[in-house]
Amino acid sequence: MKLLGSLLVLAASGLTGLRMAGSCRRRPGELAALRSGLQLLETEIVYGSTPLPAALRQVAAGLSGPAARLFDQAAAALESGRGITGGEGWTRALEAYYPASALRPEDAAALRLLGSSLGASDRHEQVKHLNLCRERLAHLEGQAQDHAGRYGRVWGYGGFLTGLLVVLVLF
């Protein structure tokens, strides 16, 4: 019974550590995909003169992975017929996307800030806000890469070592 309990504690803590390490490693990729999506959105708005819901759909089609869901959900919110603004649609999509993503609160804050201007100003102003958000995400992506390089393995090994420590203390 003790052996089974020890294995369960070790497995649970090890898997938790591996999950945290995976999230740490996924974050830079998600930020890069979001930056790419914002670049595509800028292209659709400026050069295509595409209405915001259609532009968001085009961006979602051009991306893959979790980032595509954010743009797709924002488009769906705007197309729902509830008369919401671009910022409200973006915020709702972000609230649905954020919990399942590898993003941290500062990443979500940068994306949330974009929502205040999305669809609420002329093209020139939207380009400014999109560029600002992309620059902020680029900065955060650099930090995330550094963090993943430093702490990715620590989380992975730390989970198993913590489980081993708990097993040794308990028995």
Side-chain angles (χ1 to χ4, degrees), residues 114-130:
L114 172 66
S116 64
S117 66
L118 200 59
S121 56
D122 65 355
R123 286 185 211 166
H124 185 66
E125 285 297 313
Q126 286 188 48
V127 167
K128 284 182 187 178
H129 289 284
L130 287 167

Side-chain angles (χ1 to χ4, degrees), residues 29-63:
E30 279 190 44
L31 289 170
L34 289 167
R35 278 191 319 114
S36 177
L38 293 177
Q39 180 65 49
L40 290 171
L41 184 60
E42 178 184 335
T43 302
E44 288 293 328
I45 290 171
V46 174
Y47 300 109
S49 297
T50 310
L52 189 56
L56 290 166
R57 285 275 183 221
Q58 290 286 7
V59 171
L63 295 175

Side-chain angles (χ1 to χ4, degrees), residues 12 26 32 64 79 91 97 107 126 153 168:
R26 274 193 336 266
S64 62
E79 293 169 341
T91 301
Y97 169 78
D107 307 332
Q126 286 188 48
R153 287 187 182 165
L168 289 175

